[in-house]
Amino acid sequence: MAGPSRSTLVLIAIVAVLGLAALGETLRTQLMRPTPLTALDQRQIHRIVLECNDCPRRALEKITGRWVLDEPYDMPADPAQVERLLELAAAPVRHRRDAKDVDAAEAGLKPPRGAVTLGTVRIEFGARDPVRRQRYVRRGDEVAQVPDSYAELPKLTAEALVDPRPFAGKIATGGATLDGKPLPEAAVARLREIKAQKVQPAAPAGGGRVLRFEGPDSPEFSFVRYGDQWHLVRPQPGLAYVLESADAEVLLHPEKVGKPSP
């Protein structure tokens, strides 16, 4: 019987080469596939601490299923910001090395520029790699690179970590008054849903209209105008909730809430 022809052998060789190339590409893809920065289970994290140069320390704690900011304020935490911080545990990493093999000064880690501690795991932030456009981070004896977007986390201000809903939780459980006059129930219901554009330190100024909710533990708020903005100011711990125009209208014209426009 005649052996395989030359053209058949060539075809077999080509198929083999293509197969090896495909296998090599598969292996390369698997090796380059990002892995999580840590093996932490987000559900098991109950405390987060943020530190950066020239920043006050900020700390959050999970208490009975809810996250609160306990340094420097004792306030409910913004769920969206907490989620961002927890996502750091699983930040995608394609490049990691032993810390002893990395020039810490060149990587911006001597000293680090900031740190986020998730539970007991401290993650220190360094400089940005100009080639890969990734951020150096150090965790224990390992240095890795994560997407540069995570570099903002240690710099989040205490105000940015506060829940932007001024009446979240147990504050708004009853009725409310504005300058001592009861607000319509429809207006009170809208107030409970308000979410500020942002939270910022309150300006050192008094005045404004006084908003109070029923209950001995409910704080007092001032409804104050600054330029073209309306703020709800909480004197302790000195926070201003910057309102959307539509939300400010609830307090400017509470009698119109829930009624059809003419």
Side-chain angles (χ1 to χ4, degrees):
M1 177 181 289
S5 66
R6 181 177 180 182
S7 59
T8 300
L9 293 174
V10 170
L11 181 59
I12 291 172
I14 292 173
V15 170
V17 169
L18 291 175
L20 289 173
L23 178 60
E25 180 64 21
T26 300
L27 291 173
R28 189 183 73 84
T29 300
Q30 290 179 347
L31 290 173
M32 291 298 294
R33 182 176 298 167
T35 55
L37 177 61
T38 76
L40 288 172
D41 182 347
Q42 295 184 15
R43 296 168 297 181
Q44 301 303 315
I45 299 172
H46 295 277
R47 187 166 177 81
I48 303 173
V49 177
L50 281 65
E51 300 165 279
C52 65
N53 297 335
D54 302 320
C55 298
R57 172 184 158 105
R58 289 131 292 145
L60 303 98
E61 190 161 0
K62 189 177 184 180
I63 302 173
T64 62
R66 293 180 179 273
W67 281 93
V68 297
L69 180 67
D70 65 3
E71 289 184 48
Y73 306 137
D74 181 11
M75 295 287 293
D78 182 353
Q81 297 288 30
V82 171
E83 188 64 28
R84 286 182 65 196
L85 291 165
L86 291 175
E87 286 173 356
L88 175 61
V93 173
R94 284 190 170 88
H95 306 280
R96 61 177 86 214
R97 299 169 63 188
D98 287 340
K100 61 181 176 59
D101 297 329
V102 176
D103 185 326
E106 185 177 318
L109 292 165
K110 188 180 181 180
R113 300 181 179 184
V116 175
T117 303
L118 302 173
T120 59
V121 176
R122 179 179 171 87
I123 300 163
E124 298 174 330
F125 286 75
R128 181 176 181 265
D129 183 326
V131 177
R132 295 186 176 125
R133 299 179 181 179
Q134 300 269 299
R135 182 68 53 168
Y136 285 105
V137 295
R138 179 169 57 202
R139 180 181 67 87
D141 296 329
E142 178 183 84
V143 171
Q145 290 184 343
V146 298
D148 194 43
S149 56
Y150 289 98
E152 294 301 313
L153 295 181
K155 305 174 188 176
L156 287 173
T157 65
E159 292 77 24
L161 294 167
V162 171
D163 193 329
R165 300 170 297 171
F167 310 118
K170 299 179 180 179
I171 291 178
T173 55
T177 61
L178 185 63
D179 289 339
K181 297 179 180 179
L183 289 172
E185 183 147 345
V188 175
R190 275 290 309 278
L191 286 176
R192 295 190 186 107
E193 300 171 356
I194 282 180
K195 183 177 181 180
Q197 295 180 39
K198 63 178 179 178
V199 183
Q200 63 188 37
R209 307 181 70 181
V210 178
L211 174 66
R212 289 191 180 95
F213 277 87
E214 294 176 354
D217 298 326
S218 295
E220 179 182 286
F221 291 82
S222 296
F223 181 49
V224 187
R225 183 170 186 170
Y226 291 97
D228 60 351
Q229 293 182 334
W230 285 94
H231 295 186
L232 271 174
V233 178
R234 179 170 175 162
Q236 294 296 331
L239 298 173
Y241 298 80
V242 182
L243 301 182
E244 301 279 0
S245 298
D247 292 331
E249 284 293 321
V250 176
L251 291 170
L252 291 171
H253 303 288
E255 73 283 353
K256 295 182 180 181
V257 177
K259 295 182 179 179
S261 302

